[in-house]
Amino acid sequence: MTIHGKAWKFGADVDTDAIIPARYLNTSDPAELAKHCMEDADPEFATKVKIGDVIVADKNFGCGSSREHAPIAIKAAGVGCIIAKSYARIFYRNAFNIGLLIFESPEAADGIKDGDEVSVDPGQGLIKNLTRGEEYRATPVPEFMQQIIAAGGLIDYVSERLKK
Amino acid sequence: MPMTITEKILAAHAGAEAVEPGQLVNVKVDLALGNDITAPVAIREFERIGVETVWDRDRVVLVPDHFVPNKDIKSAEQAQMLREFARKHNLTNYFEVGRMGIEHCLLPEQGLVGPGDLIIGADSHTCTYGGLGAFSTGVGSTDLAAAMALGETWLKVPESIKFVYHGALPRWVSGKDLILYTIGQIGVDGALYMAMEFTGPAIEGLSMDGRLTMANMAVEAGAKNGIVPPDEITRRYVEGRAKRPYTFYNSDPDARYTKVYEFDVSKLEPQVAFPHLPENTRPVSEAGNVTIHQVVIGSCTNGRMEDLREAATVLKGHKVNDNIRLIVIPGTQDIYLQAMQEGIVEQFIKAGAAVSTPTCGPCLGGYMGILAKGERSLATTNRNFVGRMGDPESEVYLCNPAVAAASAVLGRIAAPWEVE
């Protein structure tokens, strides 16, 4: 499965309050959270983002709170994957646990501009910038995390383990 | 093999002789914690796993604290999920409104966490318990759900950074200032994925409340955990309080660190973090003339007894400025009661402050002190991100309780010595 969409560019240290403000955390309904995704960073994002679009950001994406509502909101908004220079550690775990694809690639984060057309091959970790004719490599995902993804997320991974 | 305190605790819980940074380990957890925002998601995921009940009813802790007393109908439904789950699984440690507290003030106070423990919690400030010499870290709801079923989690052993604080702390300078200063030096991702080990003479002289404040904000530097080696101060705090046996670990003298920072803090001033990141710190004397509209004293960072006493000391003989709303939130019911018995609550109220039941409320822009567009709040809380306390065009400044109290009197960011 290849991800294909438009790049939405954000800066460094995008925090979880920017991804989903706490004023909306009185629910955990993904569709409801998606309506307010990235609201305090870009109020138009939630209404304009299309299925398969890609968030591209600088360092330390998802810093702050442990709220899993943040990757849930992004996934439910239809975002195909995130590409950033680095991630805050709780966000990184949460994204894998709920099955939101995220890639670490400083070159892609620098090379891709807002609005560029991007395609991503998750299996190969290959990111193509169709607007600029460039290619970037993502840092390989640790093997253990790949097992979690292959199982369909942490809960399915744990369920399988308990059945054995 | 020489190890740091963090590595020793992880090794002990992995059933391994030794561990090293970068290694993935499966560890037993001593306690798994959730709150009224994160636990509803965890409960739903837990129910998908297919186990009948939690791994240990004494060790799964639920604390409704973010939006309780319920701020609206949806929040009431989330709190209800926790209550019903706690009843169904007969959890020992569910804390109802009126008997609760802000989770990271409550758990150490109740002796539910202790030195040498390995704790995970679905709240980023779970790293607070490092103040006691425990390994504790924040996770998301799905990780919590798995731990509730298994009593285990996986972790990557972090590299450690050692911070050595030399000198004695000047008056009005607290654990909050040490951690704000540190984040100002290394940045909000300066310790990304790493352990921050806080040591040195200034730490040895720091109270347990101050140590908990420091470890609390380790996550604000991106750290996996913050930790203070346990000592006599730790022993005095946990004796007669701890509900489980505890173990004192300490780093070997030749343990390996990725980096060592040495700071002379003998002339450190109280720090203020300017919008919109905790790393934007300045000494209070260089804050300039920043007028404010609201002051919040409380949170899992600074809602403890020492914090309230410090604020009360500064406020003595003064009134809250006409242009300021001062909101004081004791961290737990016990702290609230103690503050009443010491006359501190009366003093706050007579000075013109609002004193609230324990809640995270305003710290995360939930309720109980939301800011309108263009408003500024000075707060003893932990984050000053865009929109953190309300409107995306409001601002939050972070400081210690003494600076907060002085500023509430003067109506602008001010040093405690300006009202003495």
Side-chain angles (χ1 to χ4, degrees):
Chain A
M1 182 202 72
T2 304
I3 296 153
H4 182 207
K6 193 185 92 152
W8 292 79
K9 195 95 188 259
F10 294 91
D13 306 313
V14 172
D15 60 77
T16 50
D17 284 86
I19 299 170
I20 183 73
R23 56 185 178 275
Y24 304 118
L25 295 186
N26 54 6
T27 178
S28 55
D29 174 23
E32 197 55 42
L33 295 170
K35 284 184 201 162
H36 305 289
C37 183
M38 307 302 289
E39 188 169 292
D40 287 359
D42 179 351
E44 295 194 324
F45 179 84
T47 50
K48 294 195 171 165
V49 68
K50 298 227 166 27
I51 290 173
D53 280 359
V54 173
I55 288 178
V56 180
D58 204 280
K59 71 175 178 78
N60 201 26
F61 186 87
C63 63
S65 151
S66 68
R67 62 188 71 156
E68 209 158 285
H69 310 63
I72 289 173
I74 292 174
K75 194 181 172 195
V79 171
C81 71
I82 307 174
I83 299 165
K85 287 188 183 173
S86 62
Y87 296 88
R89 59 163 284 277
I90 306 177
F91 184 90
Y92 184 84
R93 278 183 86 112
N94 287 349
F96 279 95
N97 286 346
I98 67 148
L100 170 68
L101 290 170
I102 59 173
F103 298 95
E104 226 174 53
S105 173
E107 317 166 71
D110 281 333
I112 299 169
K113 307 292 173 220
D114 195 48
D116 282 1
E117 194 186 342
V118 176
S119 82
V120 183
D121 178 343
Q124 304 290 318
L126 185 68
I127 303 161
K128 286 185 185 166
N129 186 336
L130 305 173
T131 305
R132 287 166 213 284
E134 293 172 357
E135 282 189 8
Y136 325 97
R137 286 263 158 211
T139 310
V141 174
E143 201 189 312
F144 175 69
M145 309 296 275
Q146 287 182 28
Q147 289 171 23
I148 292 179
I149 298 169
L154 182 69
I155 294 303
D156 297 296
Y157 177 81
V158 169
S159 304
E160 276 175 26
R161 213 187 101 189
L162 286 171
K163 276 182 210 141
K164 279 176 194 164
Chain B
M1 193 173 78
M3 287 193 286
T4 65
I5 176 171
T6 293
E7 290 155 8
K8 285 183 185 180
I9 297 174
L10 290 177
H13 287 79
E17 196 92 334
V19 295
E20 54 182 86
Q23 195 181 337
L24 284 175
V25 287
N26 212 50
V27 286
K28 291 201 180 314
V29 303
D30 291 304
L31 210 75
L33 164 74
N35 60 50
D36 53 320
I37 289 181
T38 60
V41 180
I43 289 169
R44 270 208 301 274
E45 293 300 308
F46 174 84
E47 285 167 354
R48 290 208 304 124
I49 296 176
V51 288
E52 264 176 38
T53 192
V54 297
W55 115 89
D56 186 335
R57 70 184 192 95
D58 294 330
R59 291 169 185 253
V60 173
V61 180
L62 296 180
V63 186
D65 58 357
H66 279 58
F67 293 162
V68 304
N70 306 334
K71 81 172 174 114
D72 54 26
I73 295 168
K74 285 180 176 175
S75 305
E77 289 166 355
Q78 298 202 125
Q80 192 175 42
M81 272 183 83
L82 268 66
R83 190 174 299 118
E84 287 172 355
F85 185 86
R87 282 203 191 121
K88 181 179 171 190
H89 296 278
N90 205 11
L91 301 188
T92 321
N93 296 302
Y94 165 74
F95 294 90
E96 191 54 271
V97 170
R99 281 85 83 193
M100 50 73 81
I102 297 172
E103 50 195 335
H104 309 308
C105 296
L106 188 69
L107 267 55
E109 172 196 281
Q110 296 296 315
L112 288 169
V113 290
D117 276 356
L118 192 153
I119 314 286
I120 65 162
D123 187 277
S124 60
H125 292 111
T126 303
C127 53
T128 306
Y129 318 132
L132 289 160
F135 175 92
S136 64
T137 192
V139 295
S141 298
T142 301
D143 273 318
L144 172 62
M148 279 161 53
L150 302 172
E152 289 175 9
T153 195
W154 70 270
L155 293 168
K156 189 162 92 174
V157 179
E159 295 173 33
S160 289
I161 306 181
K162 186 177 186 174
F163 296 86
V164 191
Y165 301 90
H166 297 283
L169 289 182
R171 181 76 186 112
W172 307 121
V173 178
S174 65
K176 180 63 165 288
D177 304 297
L178 289 178
I179 191 66
L180 283 177
Y181 176 76
T182 304
I183 297 165
Q185 293 294 308
I186 69 171
V188 291
D189 61 349
L192 195 60
Y193 298 104
M194 297 184 193
M196 298 173 84
E197 189 173 321
F198 304 117
T199 69
I203 302 298
E204 286 157 23
L206 199 62
S207 68
M208 186 48 68
D209 283 2
R211 294 175 182 190
L212 292 166
T213 301
M214 284 195 79
N216 173 275
M217 286 189 72
V219 65
E220 260 54 74
K224 179 171 240 160
N225 67 309
I227 196 160
V228 178
D231 59 8
E232 257 325 288
I233 288 174
T234 318
R235 193 177 303 281
R236 279 202 299 275
Y237 185 86
V238 294
E239 261 176 8
R241 191 191 295 265
K243 296 215 164 63
R244 281 181 290 108
Y246 49 85
T247 312
F248 277 35
Y249 291 96
N250 218 326
S251 295
D252 292 319
D254 49 352
R256 282 170 306 169
Y257 295 92
T258 297
K259 244 179 190 170
V260 178
Y261 290 93
E262 311 234 4
F263 298 127
D264 177 3
V265 294
S266 58
K267 292 192 176 66
L268 191 72
E269 265 192 42
Q271 303 285 304
V272 178
F274 276 53
H276 291 286
L277 283 175
E279 69 183 24
N280 296 334
T281 55
R282 297 182 202 175
V284 65
S285 65
E286 293 169 24
N289 187 24
V290 181
T291 54
I292 46 178
H293 308 92
Q294 175 172 292
V295 174
V296 175
I297 299 174
S299 83
C300 61
T301 311
N302 279 124
R304 299 185 183 79
M305 205 51 230
E306 181 181 282
D307 302 316
L308 300 186
R309 285 191 191 120
E310 194 80 338
T313 304
V314 174
L315 213 52
K316 201 166 187 178
H318 297 287
K319 291 272 184 206
V320 174
N321 188 283
D322 284 348
N323 302 316
I324 297 283
R325 295 103 61 178
L326 172 60
I327 299 164
V328 181
I329 308 178
T332 67
Q333 290 289 93
D334 281 6
I335 294 168
Y336 202 160
L337 193 58
Q338 176 76 27
M340 293 216 18
Q341 286 162 351
E342 291 184 20
I344 290 175
V345 169
E346 187 179 340
Q347 197 196 325
F348 282 131
I349 292 173
K350 283 186 171 162
V355 183
S356 157
T357 190
T359 178
C360 305
C363 171
L364 77 162
Y367 71 137
M368 291 292 294
I370 301 302
L371 302 174
K373 183 175 174 175
E375 286 192 324
R376 269 182 229 114
S377 180
L378 181 67
T380 67
T381 57
N382 41 57
R383 290 187 180 132
N384 54 352
F385 301 149
V386 171
R388 176 73 179 176
M389 205 176 273
D391 191 278
E393 289 178 48
S394 62
E395 289 183 344
V396 180
Y397 296 70
L398 307 175
C399 68
N400 77 26
V403 171
S407 307
V409 171
L410 294 174
R412 60 173 169 81
I413 295 179
W417 51 83
E418 293 183 68
V419 296
E420 270 184 301

